Each structure stands twice: as structure tokens, then as C-alpha cells.
Amino acid sequence: MRANRLVGGILLLAGGIAGCPPREVLRPTLVPDAPKVTVIARVNENADAMDFLLRAGGVSAAGEFLREGHRESFHLTGTLLYRKPMSLYLKLEHIGGSIEAGSNEREFWFWEKVDSPRYSWGMHEYMPDDADTDIPLRPDLLVEVLGFGGLPEDTTGPQGPLFWVGPQHCELIFMDRDEDDQLYITKTIDLDRNEPFLVRSVVFFRSNGRPWMQAKLSDYRKVEGGGIVMAPHKIRMDWLPDRGWLELKFDNTKRFDNAAAEKRFLSPRQLGYDLGREVRVDGPRVLPRRPAPAPTTTPAPEEAESS
């Protein structure tokens, strides 16, 4: 299982307080001396409130990535569905075709449905956080930052997270041990110093101490029908070694009580669709190419937007 999934709620986990305006227009009273236990408890309180299917509409995805030695750019629009902790469905369209990306408890996928279809996939269990892939959007990482798993309540162990208060943000520092039993930083999370301690950035590190990905979060608004939960409507992810980047913007987010939409979290591979060129991007273990097909009543991916 991938290590350090404990972080979970690093994007949408931070919630607001009753009566807050839909956008960030007020500056709450600064709380410079809030202890770590208070910050984590408040983050987890709002993470627990995200107990519903989330729909983001008017999604804009733009970015640049490195594939087979060439830099490629893209700009697509579409819709996103998410249910914690691991269920994701993202459909993006452009003139030349469409892209579907998704995740469930077992696997993740990225399906480019263009002139020469290409289907990239992997198992969460065998996918290293810092693996290099030639797909513009890693659904497993997007799930990592959209997660509502919350932060660890027991922070007394030797691996932290450590906590300090800087001039602008509180910061949590997560650690692990390498093969030589040496401690190294795995990720850092910066939060506002004031209530409700919104997450502003997350940086992932390799065991050699070098950062390899940074996610920045902004434009927080309350989720329609979601109670106290607030979500960032702008997410910027930068892959530092190759200077690739992805920026997601959401026009709106809302609670989406639609049982049929849950079927979107079955992968096209699980459903037995003709995928085109198939590329596995995780570890070396080889699994059967096709699991048993799901019931034929499940709609085809092209019908997803009807939800």
C-alpha cells in the first residue's frame, strides 16, 4: 500500500464556519498561538463533514507536460465527481476528442480517446508517489489532494508530524524512514494561521530531500448543500523536476445526491471496454488484463454527462 496516505484531506478538507461568505472576502481574527492539536482537530472536524458525493461543474484543466522527450500543452473543459476517500471521475473534452480520468479503491486510469486511443492505468497499492509517468494528469495524485481522510490525531510518534508557526502560515512536516533507517521529509502542509486553518499548499519530497511536486490551493468557497464544507476552486500542481504543471479551476461545487453517478467509479478496464493501446504505469506486478465485466446495465462512459 502506498505509504503516507495518512494525509488524505489536503485539498477539500478545510471547512468554513457558519455565516461565512461564499468567497474569501473577510480576514478572520489571527490566531498565532493555536497549538497543533487545535489546528488538526479543526481540520478533521471539517473533513468529517464531507460525507457526500461532490460534483464540480465548469471544470477547466490547463497544463503542460513532458512526453517521450517532447513538451505538450493542453486546455480542456468538463466535469468532476468525487467521493472520499478514493473515488474520482473526471471527464474532459476538446475539439480532437475527450479524456476520462478516474480512481476507485483498487485502481486508477487515464483514458485518452483520440485518433489513437491510449489507456494508462495502475493499482494504488503498487504506485510510488514520486513515480515518473508520461501522462498529463495522475488521477492517484489528484485523489491524494482531494482526499477527505483527515490528518493524524496521534502526533506523538518520532515521525511527527512536526509543527511550527511561520510569519504567514502554520506548517505540518511529515516524515518517514528510508531503507537505511534515516528520517526524511515526505511532505509539508501549509495552513492559514487563522480560523478555519485552510490548506494553502502541499509539497511532496523524495527521500533524497528534493521536492518533486507542489500543490497550491486558492479561491475557497462553500460547497452548495455541503453545510460547513469549503472547497478550493483553483488548484495548481507543479512537477518540479521536469517543470510540468496542471491548473484546475471549478466554476461551482455542490453536494450531488445521485446514486446512478456512483457507477462512474467503475473503470473502463473493469467494464471490459475496447481501450486501444494499454499502458500500465505502476509497479512490476502483472495482473489479469480484464477483471470480470460489470453488469451490462451500466451506461457507457459517453453517457456520464447526463448525470
Side-chain angles (χ1 to χ4, degrees), residues 225-236:
I228 65 171
V229 178
M230 294 183 70
H233 285 56
K234 181 178 179 181
I235 301 166
R236 167 84 182 211

Side-chain angles (χ1 to χ4, degrees), residues 47-69:
D48 291 342
M50 175 58 189
D51 59 357
F52 50 83
L53 177 64
L54 176 82
R55 182 184 188 276
V59 177
S60 171
E64 186 176 283
F65 71 108
L66 188 66
R67 169 173 282 176
E68 298 177 352

Side-chain angles (χ1 to χ4, degrees), residues 41-211:
R42 183 56 188 268
V43 168
N44 285 343
E45 173 189 355
N46 294 291
D48 291 342
M50 175 58 189
D51 59 357
F52 50 83
L53 177 64
L54 176 82
R55 182 184 188 276
V59 177
S60 171
E64 186 176 283
F65 71 108
L66 188 66
R67 169 173 282 176
E68 298 177 352
H70 301 283
R71 303 196 71 83
E72 299 184 14
S73 60
F74 60 93
H75 187 191
L76 309 97
T77 58
T79 304
L80 177 145
L81 298 173
Y82 172 76
R83 180 184 290 281
K84 71 175 185 181
M86 304 295 290
S87 296
L88 171 76
Y89 177 78
L90 175 63
K91 183 168 185 179
L92 299 170
E93 297 182 296
H94 59 92
I95 296 176
S98 66
I99 289 173
E100 291 185 25
S103 167
N104 54 40
E105 294 290 335
R106 187 164 178 258
E107 65 184 82
F108 61 92
W109 61 94
F110 185 85
W111 193 10
E112 300 166 84
K113 297 195 289 185
V114 291
D115 291 339
S116 300
R118 170 177 165 141
Y119 186 87
S120 304
W121 71 281
M123 309 295 288
H124 292 291
E125 184 176 5
Y126 307 129
M127 188 66 179
D129 275 338
D130 58 355
D132 293 320
T133 63
D134 61 351
I135 55 177
L137 188 160
R138 274 184 53 181
D140 60 318
L141 287 181
L142 186 54
V143 165
E144 188 87 0
V145 295
L146 285 173
F148 273 83
L151 298 173
E153 296 181 1
D154 182 4
T155 62
T156 59
Q159 296 176 197
L162 301 177
F163 177 79
W164 73 288
V165 180
Q168 301 296 327
H169 300 100
C170 301
E171 186 169 74
L172 293 168
I173 303 172
F174 293 83
M175 296 177 291
D176 200 351
R177 291 186 179 273
D178 63 19
E179 295 179 353
D180 297 321
D181 201 35
Q182 298 295 308
L183 280 172
Y184 70 95
I185 297 174
T186 59
K187 57 171 68 75
T188 60
I189 302 176
D190 285 1
L191 307 99
D192 285 339
R193 282 179 56 181
N194 50 269
E195 293 274 5
F197 306 117
L198 299 170
V199 176
R200 294 299 177 177
S201 75
V202 183
V203 181
F204 295 83
F205 292 81
R206 291 193 166 109
S207 59
N208 62 7
R210 295 183 180 275

Side-chain angles (χ1 to χ4, degrees), residues 220-270:
Y220 276 89
R221 309 178 212 169
K222 293 188 74 173
V223 174
E224 181 183 344
I228 65 171
V229 178
M230 294 183 70
H233 285 56
K234 181 178 179 181
I235 301 166
R236 167 84 182 211
M237 302 171 71
D238 285 273
W239 284 264
L240 305 176
D242 63 11
R243 295 178 289 110
W245 59 276
L246 168 69
E247 186 171 274
L248 292 173
K249 294 181 180 179
F250 308 145
D251 282 349
N252 58 80
T253 57
K254 67 178 181 179
R255 177 174 180 145
F256 196 53
D257 296 321
N258 186 325
E262 300 284 349
K263 297 176 181 178
R264 302 272 56 83
F265 305 134
L266 290 172
S267 76
R269 193 183 76 92
Q270 290 174 304

